[in-house]
Amino acid sequence: MEVTEKCAGGGGVLRWEWLWLCVEQRSKHWTHLLTSLCLKRTAPRKQSEALLHTTNYLLQSPSRRSQKEALQYSCLPRSPPGRREGRSLFLNTSLPHSHLYRLLLLIILIHLAGGSDVIRIGGLFDLADERQEVAFRYAIDAINSDRTMLAHARLSAQIEEIPPNDSFRGSRKVCSLLKSGVAAIFGPQSGQTSDHVQSICDALEIPHIENRWDFRLTRDAYSVNLYPHPSTLAKAYMDVLKTLGWQKFCIIYENNNGLVRVQELLKNHTWQINLRQLPNDDDYRPMLKDAKKAGVTHVVLDVERQNIFSVLKQAQQIGMMTSYHNYFITSLDLHTVDLEDFRHGGTNVTALRIVDPENQLVQRVIQDWVFGELRYGRTIEAPTSTMRSNGSGESSIKVVPQPTPHTTNSNMTFLKTEVALMYDAVQLFAKALDDLDRSRHIDVTPLECDGDVTWVHGNSLINYMKWVQVNGLTGLIKFDTEGFRRDVTLDIVELTKDGLTRVGRWDPGSGANYTRSYSEVQQGIVESLQNKTLMVTSILAAPYNMLRETSVQMTGNDRYEGFCVDLIQEISEVLGFNYTIRIAADGSHGKYDDKKKRWNGMIGELLDQKADLAIGDLTITYEREQVVDFTMPWMNLGITILYRKPTKKPPNLFSFLSPLSLDVWLYMATAYLAISLLLFVLARFSPYEWSNPHPCDQSPDKLDNEFSLLNCLWFCIGSLMQQGGDLLPKAVSTRIVAGIWWFFTLIMISSYTANLAAFLTVERMESPIESAEDLAKQTRIKYGSLYGGSTWDFFANSKMPTYQRMFSFMESQNPSVYTKSNEEGVKRVQKGDGQYAFMMESSSIEYITERYCDLTQVGGPLDSKSYGIALPPGSPFTNAISGAILSLQEGGKLQALRTRWWKHKKGGGQCKDDESKSSSKANELGLNNVGGVFVVLLAGMGLASVVAVCEFVWKSRKLATEEHASVWTEMSKELKFALSCDSSSKPVRKKPPEHENGPSYLSINTCGSTFTASQYSFSSKDPVP
């Protein structure tokens, strides 16, 4: 405005020096500004429309004379005083003020349009390429308006429309353009027509510029293609899929071109890929239903842009647009598709794009297009809010003009990839032409298709195009030596509830780089769970899920109770979702049926997408992990054996011998005999063990040794029984032997006494099996498991010989030892009377033994396994639920739930109370426990009586011989005296005189020890005579 006022001067006088400054601006901005001022101040409505029309005509007209004539006719007075042509500014300052503005506009337009060379460029567009044609025209306008580029020339568009795949007409149009003289040919989009155009351009050395996807890996010398190279896109696809962690997916393609685009994915043998082609008709549901039945949750979708919405919509109709489905769309134009119907479904849709809506250049160009088309009464489907900010400073694109009656709220439907590439192609051509124009003068000459003359500047211009770099709507544009665009940066976008969001970038050097953190991803998943209702499948199994016992009719989740019911309630409170519990139709955990080729039970319902979660006593196994996702374990356990409690061992009559084993008893007897013999020998050798039998006789004729063999045996047995005796060793050697023996007996008797108390007070339980090895070694006791469960799988797939033998035994039994449920196995153990053992998880056995006191767990765990919550494959909620379980575990909530349902609820803890009561006091000892001691006592008494009778008979016989009487006479005398209890003394029978019967003393020699007895015996009351 300031420059305009200066040019107008004051008082209606035009100052030529300021006018010349305005002319030298050479700016489209000033042209628009002065045009608006001219129309606003002086021109009527009709004349303003004529002025706009003339301005547009001048920009397109190559003739300078026609420019002047048009301006004279439309803007200037018929006979303006003081007018001169050209740049001689001798003006009459008395012109009216309104005419001064018109004259100022005239001079600027003449300067902008006049004196420049016109370079024509040809554009071949299909009938449906209206958007590309618009981009082509506005790119030329932008270049002509920028006087820093092509200062001595300007571009002129020569546009021709041809039907798609009409090679004949396309060739004629190209020849017509070349005959009029063009510097380059842009387009067309049809591959078949483009090949013919390219061959003509190569022959005449005219640059051919394309912006379409082309599967060919080689290009002709005079052709460049701004579309990213197929190998570059294939690498981008692979990097993104690897970053997403896809291992098994289905590729759905539309035509052979799509198959070419994904061929690099098919070469990766580490992926499990299923290939499906869309049918020719518009009904894709049958094919999608087959994919759903096959369990497809990850899809690579390669279809034309206009068919993306139709495929996704039909997938949504059959239930393949859920939170558990993931789509990767190979098209770079997903941002131009209306995705409003899929934003709130939770489906993970990922794609790549080359047009960055956050780019200021993109926003400015779209704004110019919208304003430009509005001036001609046309409209462009411009976006209003297609993208969103992802919270990391990446804002969404918003076109400055608000929607008008002619604009729609479409989703970036105008700026497709090919449209942006067409705009960039013109910019690249202009940049190369400008660089070439600085070094030489460029003349465009007409060419004949059937002639031999080529364009002399074509080779140089195409080389410049491969060499220069331009920042365009699709980022940095540069080519390799082959004319391919391999170095390109792509945005990674995902569909959220707020629309497409940029989550990362890809480039050939560093691959896929996500800008969002793991915590941000998980936070988004948790937010998507808020107030979402999940279907939970389960089975009835105590104590995990049971029907509530109540007299009131319950509905919904209130019908169930148990550990898993409380667990899912705690998780839902942490994550904020709702849930509905449903019992699996067949009541099984989940096993693959080889005949039906499908999974049953809870796993089958997850794969059929009938449930979102599966919770219960569901073991995490390798086979299940291959088809569904599991959270972190919420309980660890192992396989053990459920068997009836062992019966009490019947008391043993000689249980007092139990504290020591038979070997110890034999060693003790051997030690007793050895010590007795050693003591006897040492006493014979030692001189200190021989003593005077008559202390009053100082010169004895004989010395006695008290440690005869019998006395040694008596001494040792007395010490062993802790009783002692009259005999004591005198020599050092014998005392050492005696001390060692006493120490030995002290330890042995103390150990025996201590162990005897335990053996007599603790009841001994007798069980025929103590481990799995005991089961495997016998065939009398049958054993089995739940058929098709994780325990069955463990034995079926085990490589250990013991478990293989057990599995073979279970398979060979008739009737079957398998059960259909754990409850059936428990009842079978109770009724089996010790003839059946059931193998199941240790946690379930712990629950059972807390309530059935006649059952117990035998042995330790055979393996280690865990229970977890199963989700459909690819579920986004797996990590969130795992985090909730970890939080509950750290807070002690899981242990509290286990104690509640194992120890307290449903009769838990009663068996433990019985055991604690029985162990609080010692068992009473009955006659059955100590009867053996009485038997030994009676045996000793009987033995002593027999020995006494023998001694009595032996003595009576000896007296009868001495007295020359009969044995019976002597026995009767002795028996009569023994039975008389009135006296404790017995008279001694004297022997005959010495001259008749020998000496008066009787000497008895026993093993060398001399014992001398008097002929007379002494009473305990009478003194010695």
Side-chain angles (χ1 to χ4, degrees), residues 690-704 1001 1012:
W690 298 90
S691 59
N692 184 5
H694 302 288
C696 296
D697 187 1
Q698 298 296 326
S699 300
D701 296 333
K702 300 178 181 179
L703 295 178
D704 294 340
Y1001 292 94
T1012 304

Side-chain angles (χ1 to χ4, degrees), residues 6-7 14-24 89:
K6 289 180 179 179
C7 294
L14 182 63
R15 298 180 181 178
W16 68 269
E17 62 272 12
W18 293 109
L19 179 61
W20 185 256
L21 177 64
C22 292
V23 171
E24 287 300 317
L89 300 179

Side-chain angles (χ1 to χ4, degrees), residues 489-552:
T489 300
L490 303 175
D491 290 341
I492 304 174
V493 295
E494 288 186 359
L495 180 63
T496 65
K497 62 182 180 179
D498 297 318
L500 281 177
T501 305
R502 186 175 70 184
V503 296
R505 290 186 182 274
W506 178 91
D507 60 78
S510 58
N513 296 308
Y514 278 79
T515 57
R516 60 182 181 179
S517 63
Y518 177 79
S519 60
E520 291 175 347
V521 175
Q522 293 304 311
Q523 181 64 29
I525 294 175
V526 173
E527 290 178 358
S528 66
L529 273 174
Q530 298 295 321
N531 298 323
K532 186 180 182 68
T533 301
L534 302 180
M535 185 62 66
V536 179
T537 181
S538 183
I539 61 173
L540 295 177
Y544 306 101
N545 190 6
M546 303 170 288
L547 291 175
R548 189 183 301 273
E549 297 179 358
T550 178
S551 58
V552 181

Side-chain angles (χ1 to χ4, degrees), residues 446-465:
L447 300 174
E448 297 289 342
C449 290
D450 54 355
D452 296 332
V453 180
T454 61
W455 190 36
V456 294
H457 302 293
N459 187 44
S460 300
L461 182 56
I462 197 67
N463 289 333
Y464 268 90
M465 292 183 65

Side-chain angles (χ1 to χ4, degrees), residues 774-997:
D774 294 342
L775 277 178
K777 292 177 183 177
Q778 55 83 47
T779 58
R780 182 179 63 87
I781 301 176
K782 311 298 180 183
Y783 48 89
S785 67
L786 174 66
Y787 182 76
S790 59
T791 303
W792 183 88
D793 289 335
F794 169 76
F795 285 98
N797 301 321
S798 177
K799 302 301 181 182
M800 297 184 65
T802 300
Y803 302 149
Q804 288 178 342
R805 188 165 63 252
M806 294 176 66
F807 181 72
S808 300
F809 175 80
M810 291 187 290
E811 288 288 317
S812 62
Q813 294 303 301
N814 190 15
S816 176
V817 294
Y818 298 121
T819 63
K820 296 181 179 179
S821 64
N822 289 336
E823 290 76 10
E824 180 182 347
V826 173
K827 293 179 180 179
R828 193 164 177 177
V829 172
Q830 289 178 309
K831 297 178 180 179
D833 194 21
Q835 300 301 311
Y836 183 78
F838 188 68
M839 288 172 287
M840 60 190 300
E841 285 79 3
S842 58
S843 59
S844 300
I845 291 181
E846 180 183 351
Y847 176 81
I848 293 171
T849 54
E850 287 286 338
R851 287 150 181 81
Y852 299 97
C853 301
D854 57 337
L855 302 179
T856 187
Q857 174 181 316
V858 176
L862 307 184
D863 68 342
S864 178
K865 59 180 62 177
S866 304
Y867 286 156
I869 299 177
L871 297 94
S875 174
F877 311 133
T878 303
N879 292 335
I881 296 178
S882 295
I885 293 175
L886 183 60
S887 176
L888 294 175
Q889 184 178 8
E890 293 177 349
K893 194 65 178 180
L894 291 182
Q895 184 61 37
L897 290 178
R898 180 162 183 169
T899 302
R900 176 186 179 189
W901 287 102
W902 264 256
K903 305 294 185 182
H904 301 154
K905 303 283 288 187
K906 299 290 183 178
Q910 59 183 5
C911 296
K912 183 178 180 180
D913 294 339
D914 295 340
E915 293 177 0
S916 60
K917 291 178 181 178
S918 61
S919 60
S920 61
K921 60 180 181 180
N923 294 329
E924 296 179 352
L925 297 180
L927 184 61
N928 293 332
N929 301 106
V930 295
V933 179
F934 289 93
V935 172
V936 172
L937 178 62
L938 294 176
M941 294 172 61
L943 180 62
S945 300
V946 171
V947 171
V949 171
C950 293
E951 289 177 346
F952 178 78
V953 173
W954 176 261
K955 184 64 176 177
S956 298
R957 181 177 177 277
K958 185 176 181 180
L959 290 176
T961 302
E962 292 176 354
E963 297 292 337
H964 302 286
S966 63
V967 176
W968 294 106
T969 302
E970 292 297 327
M971 289 179 62
S972 61
K973 290 181 180 180
E974 291 294 331
L975 181 61
K976 182 178 180 182
F977 181 79
L979 294 177
S980 61
C981 300
D982 55 349
S983 177
S984 59
S985 62
K986 179 180 179 182
V988 178
R989 295 187 181 187
K990 295 183 179 181
K991 294 182 180 180
E994 290 185 2
H995 60 277
E996 296 179 1
N997 298 308

Side-chain angles (χ1 to χ4, degrees), residues 114 164 243 332 369 441 586 674 686 740 762 799 828 845 873 897 995 1011:
T243 305
L332 299 179
W369 291 354
H441 181 71
D586 56 3
S686 177
I740 294 299
V762 177
K799 302 301 181 182
R828 193 164 177 177
I845 291 181
L897 290 178
H995 60 277
F1011 297 90

